[in-house]
Each structure stands twice: as C-alpha cells, then as structure tokens.
Amino acid sequence: MDQLIKQEIMAQSLDISKKLNKIFIENETRSIKAKYAVEEQMKGFPTDDLIESAYKDATLSIENMEEFNAAHILVETEADAVEIVDLLKSGIDFSELAKQKSTGPSSSNGGQLGWFGLGQMVPEFEAAVMVLEIGKISQPVKTQFGWHVIKLNDQRAKPLPTIDELKPDLVQKLNQDRIDALVENETSKAKIELFDTIIKPESIRDLTLLDSNN
C-alpha cells in the first residue's frame, strides 16, 4: 500500500500538459496494452502437439542426409599431391604423412577433419569425398586452398537432432508466427486512416519541437 501511494503521488506530480510528457505516456500506455493483448492471446500456446508437428516438419528436410568423416593432406602443387599419393601407395601411414607434409591446420591432428555434411566443404572437395569408398584414398583434388589428397574414414546418415534440442527454436518460431497472424487479423478488422503528409525524418527525431505548446 505504501508503494502504491508513493507511485500515485509521483504520478500526480508529473506535468502532463507538456507535449513531450503526454506523448511519452501515450507511447508507454499503447505499448503496455499491446503487450497484454498479445499475452492474453498467447496463453497455452504453443501446445505439445504443435511443437511435435513443427519438429517433424523441421527434421523432414534433413532425413536421409549423409555425413562424411574424412582426413586430408593439403599441399601447394599438383606434383606434391602426386608424390603424396605414391607415398601412401607404398604403405606409409596417412596420419604420419599428414603431420609431416600437410600445410593445412589439421596437420597436427593427422589431417583428421571429423564429421561434416554437404555444404560445409568447398564443392570440389565434397565431390571427391562423395565418390570415395570407405578407407580409400582420392587422386589429387584442386581447390582454392591448394591440392588435397583425401581419405574417407567413414560415412553415415546424418543423426537427427532431438525434439528437446530443437524445442527452444521451434517455440520461438511458432510464437512469432502466431503473433504475426494475430496482428494481421486485428489489422484486417481495423479502420486505418493514413494522412498523405510528407514529414521530414529529422523533424520526427527533433524532440525539442515538443517542448513548446504551439
């Protein structure tokens, strides 16, 4: 009660005859009303069924997508790459050769790149990986980074993210779509009158124009 009394005392002390104060109050009031109107419409939304449906739609596009696990040795010239292929054919270990010869950042890790999907590597590299058999070595492949010799370690269907992993993003999108639909629906029922008046942007930003009562 004491807090309410103090708030009311300070509220009544505000000079609302000033245009700037009046506009600030109108803006705040409109914003608060809009906030509560949206919250009222969003109660209980989204339901578990909607989230599950959105999850199925989101994962449909990534079902049956392939992931690849590969290693590579990156060198500057084609001749260097051909030499790498010959050394590997002679039985030299790929990982050790990558540590010795590769100029790429993965050299210290034996050239291992881990798992990656389509779109994560440059097209020439991906094309070479896609036609390789597991355990096989590619011929020299040229990309914008240099010449690669690639080894395909493994291949698998891309694991789908769980619904719990995607839930925050799904809820956010469902909420935004719902709010957009609500605003569009209310706007369609409203009578809106726009005045054909050209106002300079700098004038809108100039709050000193509201200091006077003119």
Side-chain angles (χ1 to χ4, degrees), residues 105-123:
S106 63
S107 60
S108 61
N109 193 35
Q112 297 298 326
L113 298 171
W115 288 99
F116 58 89
L118 296 179
Q120 293 182 255
M121 299 293 181
V122 292

Side-chain angles (χ1 to χ4, degrees), residues 14-174:
L14 180 68
D15 185 0
I16 59 173
S17 66
K18 292 183 178 180
K19 288 184 178 180
L20 191 58
N21 289 341
K22 183 178 180 181
I23 288 178
F24 282 157
I25 291 173
E26 289 176 351
N27 286 342
E28 288 292 332
T29 301
R30 181 170 53 250
S31 176
I32 291 171
K33 285 182 177 179
K35 173 179 178 292
Y36 285 116
V38 169
E39 288 182 354
E40 183 69 23
Q41 295 281 356
M42 296 294 288
K43 286 181 179 178
F45 186 89
T47 63
D48 290 341
D49 287 344
L50 280 175
I51 295 173
E52 186 174 348
S53 178
Y55 171 75
K56 290 179 180 178
D57 290 342
T59 54
L60 186 62
S61 61
I62 58 176
E63 281 186 336
N64 301 320
M65 289 183 65
E66 294 292 316
E67 279 191 326
F68 305 90
N69 187 303
H72 78 139
I73 299 173
L74 177 64
V75 290
E76 293 183 359
T77 68
E78 184 178 12
D80 291 336
V82 170
E83 181 184 1
I84 294 295
V85 172
D86 291 338
L87 290 171
L88 291 170
K89 288 180 178 179
S90 70
I92 295 180
D93 180 71
F94 189 99
S95 179
E96 290 302 318
L97 195 57
K99 292 177 181 179
Q100 297 172 16
K101 301 287 188 179
S102 182
T103 60
S106 63
S107 60
S108 61
N109 193 35
Q112 297 298 326
L113 298 171
W115 288 99
F116 58 89
L118 296 179
Q120 293 182 255
M121 299 293 181
V122 292
E124 301 90 345
F125 192 98
E126 286 186 355
V129 169
M130 290 175 67
V131 298
L132 274 178
E133 295 180 22
I134 294 175
K136 299 296 184 179
I137 305 296
S138 73
Q139 292 300 310
V141 178
K142 184 180 181 181
T143 73
Q144 64 196 69
F145 303 105
W147 288 85
H148 308 256
V149 176
I150 307 166
K151 179 182 179 182
L152 180 60
N153 300 320
D154 203 354
Q155 184 175 346
R156 68 183 182 188
K158 185 176 182 179
L160 293 178
T162 66
I163 191 169
D164 288 335
E165 290 172 335
L166 290 185
K167 188 172 182 179
D169 291 335
L170 294 174
V171 170
Q172 182 179 5
K173 186 177 187 308
L174 286 169

Side-chain angles (χ1 to χ4, degrees), residues 185-204:
N185 180 58
E186 292 300 323
T187 301
S188 68
K189 296 186 294 185
K191 181 181 179 181
I192 302 172
E193 185 177 1
L194 298 177
F195 296 96
D196 187 15
T197 302
I198 299 176
I199 302 176
K200 296 180 180 179
E202 59 268 22
S203 297
I204 297 176

